[in-house]
Amino acid sequence: MSQEFRCDCPVTSAIDILGDKWMLIIIKQMLIEEMQTFKEFTESDEAVSTSILTLKLKCLESYGLLERKNHPSNKKTKLYHLTDKGLSLAPVVVDLAIWSDQNLREFNPIMRQTDELEFMKSNREDAIEALKKNYKEKLSTT
């Protein structure tokens, strides 16, 4: 998948890839909600359409943010896993959660208030490391 980058700015270049409505949601679903299969993504609260999901997963794979493998017990089912490059977006996901809680809660009063979010807010670095560690541990069992 070839991406046209609009300029030489590193922030804009990242937004060219990740600024789409679905890209960080998919990464968040993998990292925090432990989603791995196409079916899990389509049945999530965010309700991404199958055509958009297919396109976004291929794009994330083409940039090395995730990899697709056969399920060990069902060759028809594909498992999607974050690569180290994808996992390196954990700080971005945590920072977005913290920022959203601090700045958007008044506009979205149904926003979840979880222990995990409180942990992120109280100890950002430990929360990031815990997310990465938990993801890698979960990955090693699949």
Side-chain angles (χ1 to χ4, degrees), residues 105-126:
R105 187 166 294 283
E106 68 182 287
F107 303 105
N108 185 6
I110 65 166
M111 191 182 300
R112 289 187 297 244
Q113 184 70 33
T114 63
D115 291 341
E116 187 173 41
L117 179 59
E118 288 305 313
F119 180 51
M120 289 176 186
K121 290 171 17 183
S122 68
N123 199 329
R124 177 188 174 276
E125 294 301 320
D126 285 350

Side-chain angles (χ1 to χ4, degrees), residues 12-142:
T12 303
S13 296
I15 290 171
D16 285 340
I17 303 302
L18 300 171
D20 167 274
K21 178 179 177 178
W22 292 106
M23 299 302 240
L24 285 173
I25 291 172
I26 292 168
I27 291 167
K28 180 263 314 182
Q29 289 173 327
M30 295 176 77
L31 180 63
I32 295 175
E33 299 167 18
E34 300 179 352
M35 292 185 188
Q36 299 182 65
T37 67
F38 195 88
K39 183 177 180 185
E40 289 171 336
F41 292 116
T42 60
E43 293 176 348
S44 73
D45 290 342
E46 283 92 351
V48 60
S49 74
T50 57
S51 59
I52 290 174
L53 179 61
T54 299
L55 181 66
K56 301 309 174 186
L57 289 171
K58 285 181 181 178
C59 184
L60 289 168
E61 186 177 14
S62 74
Y63 285 103
L65 299 172
L66 64 81
E67 60 186 7
R68 179 177 41 132
K69 295 184 176 183
N70 288 329
H71 191 286
S73 62
N74 180 352
K75 299 298 180 199
K76 290 183 181 181
T77 300
K78 303 296 182 202
L79 295 176
Y80 296 91
H81 297 138
L82 293 171
T83 61
D84 286 340
K85 189 186 288 189
L87 201 52
S88 72
L89 287 166
V92 174
V93 173
V94 168
D95 287 343
L96 281 172
I98 293 168
W99 181 87
S100 180
D101 180 67
Q102 293 171 346
N103 295 284
L104 299 179
R105 187 166 294 283
E106 68 182 287
F107 303 105
N108 185 6
I110 65 166
M111 191 182 300
R112 289 187 297 244
Q113 184 70 33
T114 63
D115 291 341
E116 187 173 41
L117 179 59
E118 288 305 313
F119 180 51
M120 289 176 186
K121 290 171 17 183
S122 68
N123 199 329
R124 177 188 174 276
E125 294 301 320
D126 285 350
I128 291 166
E129 290 310 310
L131 276 175
K132 289 179 179 181
K133 181 178 181 247
N134 291 342
Y135 187 83
K136 287 180 179 181
E137 285 174 0
K138 174 75 174 163
L139 194 60
S140 69
T141 63
T142 56

